[in-house]
Amino acid sequence: MSAPCPQPMELFQWLDGEATTNRTRELEAHVASCSPCRHELASQQRLISRLREPPRPPEEHDVQAIMARLHVTPPMARPFWQPVWHAGLAASCLVVLGVLLWQAGPQDAPKSFAARGGGTPSLDRYVGVDLLSAGQPPVLLRDGAVLRQTTPLFARYRHLGEAPAFLLLFAQDAAGELHWLYPAYLTPGDDPRSVTLPPAERDTPMPEAVALEHPAPGPLHVFALVTSEPVRVLDVEGLGQGALTESLLRARWPEASLTHWTLMLEEAP
C-alpha cells in the first residue's frame, strides 16, 4: 500500500528547510514515484522563483489606465474621500487610488521573500507587508525616509499561506498621537477590526492610500501587525498613552508578524 500524498503546505515546508532528515528522505522517495506531487512541488518552486523576481516595468497602457482611474469620481456612498486629491491633502484622511496604482512601479525593489530554514513556523514565513508613499511612481519606503506631513501612504502585501491573515497598520507621531491607515478609524467609539489579507502570491496593493490627519512633524513610527485572528483597533488603543514599541506589541501578540518603520515627517510649507 503506497503512502498517502503529503499536504501542499508540507511540501512548502520541505522546500523551506523545515522537514526533519527522516521526513525529507520519505518525501524525496514519495515525490520520485508520484507524478501529482512532482507537479505540486514544481509549481511551488516556480512560485518562489517568481516572488524573487523584480517587478516588471509598467506598460504605457497601464499608466494610462492608472491616470484615468485617479480622476474617477468616488461613489456617493463614500463622499468623504472626494475632496482629497485636488485639495492638497491638508485636511484629508483617505485618498482613493485604486488597486492598479502599484502597477506604475516603485523606485525601489521590494523586500525579498526568501525561504528560511529552522525554527517554529510563523506568519513571518508566509506574509510580508511593504509601506509606500503614493505618487507617480510610488516609492517603497525604508527606515529613515523623509516625507512631507501631507504625503499619502499605502501598503502592499503578499501572502503565501492558505488561510486568511489580518492586518492592522497604524502610526504614532512625535506628539504620541495614533493614526490609523488600515482599518480606517474615523469615529471615536467605533472599534473596527483588522482588515483581511486573502492569500496572494504576488505583491498586492491595498485599495486606498491614506493621508494622515495633521500628524506632528518629527519621527513617525509605523507598525504593520499581521495576526492569524482578527484584532480590534481598541486592542491597540488600550495599550496606554505612552510610546508604542516593538517590544510592547510583541509581548501583547507574540505569534504575530510585526514590521516597524521609522520615518521623518517634514512640516508642510
Side-chain angles (χ1 to χ4, degrees):
M1 182 176 180
S2 60
C5 292
Q7 294 294 318
M9 184 55 69
E10 187 175 13
L11 291 176
F12 181 83
Q13 291 169 343
W14 174 32
L15 289 175
D16 201 22
E18 296 178 19
T20 64
T21 301
N22 289 339
R23 186 54 178 158
T24 295
R25 294 195 187 102
E26 293 172 356
L27 291 171
E28 288 174 344
H30 178 86
V31 168
S33 61
C34 180
S35 176
C37 286
R38 283 199 302 274
H39 177 75
E40 174 64 28
L41 189 66
S43 296
Q44 294 193 16
Q45 289 170 327
R46 289 193 298 270
L47 170 59
I48 291 173
S49 297
R50 289 200 302 273
L51 289 170
R52 290 173 176 167
E53 293 175 356
R56 66 172 178 85
E59 302 290 343
E60 183 177 354
H61 60 81
D62 288 337
V63 177
Q64 292 172 349
I66 294 163
M67 296 303 298
R69 184 71 174 270
L70 286 173
H71 291 86
V72 172
T73 302
M76 293 302 293
R78 310 183 85 164
F80 53 88
W81 285 347
Q82 186 167 356
V84 181
W85 190 256
H86 298 288
L89 302 172
S92 60
C93 185
L94 295 179
V95 184
V96 176
L97 296 181
V99 297
L100 290 178
L101 177 62
W102 171 240
Q103 295 298 331
Q107 293 178 346
D108 197 359
K111 292 183 288 187
S112 60
F113 195 89
R116 295 172 291 173
T120 302
S122 70
L123 284 169
D124 287 316
R125 295 186 179 277
Y126 310 117
V127 181
V129 178
D130 292 319
L131 182 68
L132 301 96
S133 61
Q136 299 192 30
V139 176
L140 182 67
L141 298 177
R142 306 291 191 186
D143 274 345
V146 179
L147 304 172
R148 294 292 178 86
Q149 289 172 286
T150 53
T151 300
L153 305 175
F154 74 101
R156 69 180 185 190
Y157 77 95
R158 55 255 181 233
H159 177 14
L160 302 184
E162 296 180 335
F166 301 90
L167 170 68
L168 291 178
L169 187 66
F170 51 94
Q172 188 170 50
D173 65 21
E177 185 72 20
L178 277 179
H179 301 264
W180 287 90
L181 289 85
Y182 312 112
Y185 181 51
L186 305 177
T187 305
D190 286 351
D191 190 15
R193 67 176 219 167
S194 45
V195 298
T196 302
L197 302 181
E201 61 184 53
R202 300 188 63 181
D203 287 328
T204 303
M206 301 298 289
E208 301 98 16
V210 180
L212 307 184
E213 187 173 9
H214 306 302
L220 180 75
H221 295 278
V222 185
F223 299 93
L225 182 73
V226 181
T227 55
S228 57
E229 298 292 336
V231 175
R232 296 282 182 176
V233 163
L234 293 185
D235 292 333
V236 175
E237 296 270 348
L239 291 177
Q241 299 300 315
L244 291 177
T245 63
E246 286 190 52
S247 58
L248 178 64
L249 293 169
R250 290 189 189 280
R252 177 62 179 82
W253 291 281
E255 302 302 321
S257 170
L258 179 65
T259 308
H260 174 210
W261 300 267
T262 301
L263 311 178
M264 184 62 64
L265 294 185
E266 290 185 333
E267 194 164 2

